[in-house]
Amino acid sequence: MKLTLKIWRQASPEAKGNMVTYPLDGVDGDMSFLEMMDILNEELVNKGEEPVEFDHDCREGICGSCNMMINGQPHGPQKLTTTCQLHMRKFNDGDTITIEPWRAAAFPVIKDLIVDRSSFDRIQQAGAYVSVNTSGNTQDANSIPIEKAKADEAFHSATCIGCGACVAACKNASAMLFTSAKVSQYALLPQGEIEATDRVQNMVRQMDMEGFGNCTNTGACMIECPKGIKLENITRMNSEYLKANI
Amino acid sequence: MKIFPAVHYTMGGLWVDYNLQTTVPGCFAAGEANFSDHGANRLGASALMQGLADGYFVLPYTIGDYLADEIRTGPISTETAEFDQAEKDTRARIEKLMNGAGTHSVDYYHKKLGLIMWNKCGMSRNETDLKSAMDEIAELRADFWKNVRVPGSADTKNQELEKAGRVADFLELGELFAKDALDRNESCGGHFREEYQTADGEALRDDVNYAYVSAWEYNENPRDAKLHKEDLVFENVELKTRSYK
């Protein structure tokens, strides 16, 4: 497969970036998108050029770091799939592929395709936890009965990998889908009740402070989310927020 | 669908004491990074269990205990000879990586090392292969430090430089890995020495001579690493051979 890649290159957070075109030959349909990037980088290094920097870790769709805007879509054209699990067979010989980093004020570019997503960490730290005493007398979590439907919902919300595709897809660069998934995961369980009021207030405050935009119910976040996190989470967070403020 | 075995986890890790403290005072290693919980075998979710157990139940007490003695220590100045030396060493190492002859990429060395490890230090290993693996890795390491090519600058984020630092470590650890497998003249857990098997191809353990943990002390060259034997003492159970038959 012969491809033309148009990739965002930016040397540092302060530098002015630009799109650079790279022809790439010998791409196999069985390669993952990141393996294709590895091939490009090895070529660049062998030519004495600087490789394209991109984040990656597990390459099995659970760490949430392989974030790329591929032809204008977060994580590329395949539904419910992170960039690392996207295969080149989804593209055709002769294609031109545009690759950019996430674009959001709250995700500043570090270098090339790598953005700083620590704003997500700070939203997590603001309340996405339950306090548990680990003194050795910890109550077994399974001893608290939870109805199956709720447990399943909470589990589904917890599958959010925090990649930021929701922000990248949103015209307002809103982090509502991410934040609401983290709020919902606890709001649905009895273990989360104790800190429910503080949690939603602190997390929403942090989200606003980080400079994420607001939600206008477009729903692009849900369409692009590689884990299929549902818009209902945003509804739940809004009702939790209302409850906490009355 | 293609199905292929792949390396997923390596048994062992940094030596730690009962409080999860390494040989460097104040430096604790938790989870998969330390050696302590799982011995020579690895079952599903081992790494998860080790991370949770260390993080929830051990470190909250042992780090606190360590820090209790440091409560009046105050800020530690960086204007010390030790700090200067550490800074100088780190800079020298980075400079050496940045100024290689530039013949081969970091990936080139990583792949070569991977192939040696895969072919000669895999689940099934023997004396001849392990010995030649040690020599090949030593040779590859020398070549790496002379000829590696790291593009870009050391003053910005540089993933190739980060990778070069890791591959440099792998090139030492790989040789130690082979040396350790060579030292253990028995088969146990994930270590199957072809010379030590029963007539029907099962692992043949030697509890008389090898019921110990091998703790290797770093000594510049991996082949000069010093072995410390920590006896495995079983008080409540007796050592037996597990059979799935």
Side-chain angles (χ1 to χ4, degrees), chain A residues 115-134:
Chain A
V115 299
D116 181 353
R117 289 179 301 128
S118 56
S119 47
F120 265 21
D121 295 341
R122 289 186 292 271
I123 295 175
Q124 287 265 109
Q125 287 155 5
Y129 53 80
V130 285
S131 301
V132 176
N133 184 351
T134 55

Side-chain angles (χ1 to χ4, degrees), chain A:
Chain A
M1 216 188 264
K2 241 185 184 155
L3 300 169
T4 305
L5 305 171
K6 292 188 166 179
I7 304 176
W8 181 260
R9 302 300 310 260
Q10 182 175 339
S12 68
E14 302 79 29
K16 191 172 184 293
N18 64 307
M19 299 297 286
V20 179
T21 305
Y22 299 100
L24 187 63
D25 203 353
V27 176
D28 190 291
D30 288 338
M31 283 177 188
S32 74
F33 201 87
L34 297 189
E35 282 165 341
M36 181 276 290
M37 294 295 292
D38 291 338
I39 302 280
L40 169 72
N41 277 347
E42 197 161 11
E43 267 193 33
L44 291 177
V45 174
N46 287 337
K47 277 195 286 187
E49 292 177 36
E50 279 194 54
V52 180
E53 306 234 345
F54 61 94
D55 258 342
H56 58 92
D57 189 37
C58 73
R59 300 201 180 205
E60 49 186 46
I62 50 174
C63 76
S65 53
C66 57
N67 303 315
M68 292 180 195
M69 202 71 164
I70 302 166
N71 290 337
Q73 277 185 292
H75 295 295
Q78 193 173 325
K79 293 266 164 282
L80 301 173
T81 307
T82 52
T83 303
C84 63
Q85 298 207 303
L86 174 67
H87 283 89
M88 294 315 293
R89 64 181 84 97
K90 287 277 157 189
F91 299 88
N92 300 311
D93 186 37
D95 275 0
T96 297
I97 305 175
T98 309
I99 309 165
E100 296 164 274
W102 284 174
R103 302 277 187 201
F107 287 160
V109 172
I110 294 174
K111 193 173 181 181
D112 297 336
L113 303 172
I114 303 176
V115 299
D116 181 353
R117 289 179 301 128
S118 56
S119 47
F120 265 21
D121 295 341
R122 289 186 292 271
I123 295 175
Q124 287 265 109
Q125 287 155 5
Y129 53 80
V130 285
S131 301
V132 176
N133 184 351
T134 55
S135 61
N137 302 314
T138 315
Q139 188 185 9
D140 186 275
N142 292 325
S143 64
I144 305 169
I146 297 163
E147 57 185 278
K148 172 107 172 64
K150 278 200 171 172
D152 288 351
E153 269 295 289
F155 186 81
H156 189 260
S157 299
T159 58
C160 165
I161 55 176
C163 66
C166 45
V167 175
C170 180
K171 59 177 179 167
N172 308 321
S174 167
M176 287 282 267
L177 195 69
F178 164 77
T179 310
S180 67
K182 300 297 169 198
V183 167
S184 289
Q185 168 187 346
Y186 300 105
L188 285 155
L189 299 175
Q191 288 92 335
E193 265 171 37
I194 305 151
E195 289 145 324
T197 307
D198 284 350
R199 175 178 306 113
V200 70
Q201 285 177 333
N202 292 343
M203 289 179 74
V204 170
R205 186 182 306 124
Q206 190 65 39
M207 179 181 80
D208 291 341
M209 267 164 49
E210 297 292 347
F212 290 105
N214 234 318
C215 175
T216 47
N217 292 311
T218 316
C221 51
M222 177 174 78
I223 304 291
E224 297 296 350
C225 174
K227 295 291 146 183
I229 300 295
K230 292 183 281 184
L231 274 184
E232 283 91 321
N233 288 294
I234 298 184
T235 316
R236 188 177 298 105
M237 181 168 81
N238 283 338
S239 93
E240 287 287 313
Y241 191 75
L242 191 65
K243 235 187 333 186
N245 284 293
I246 294 175

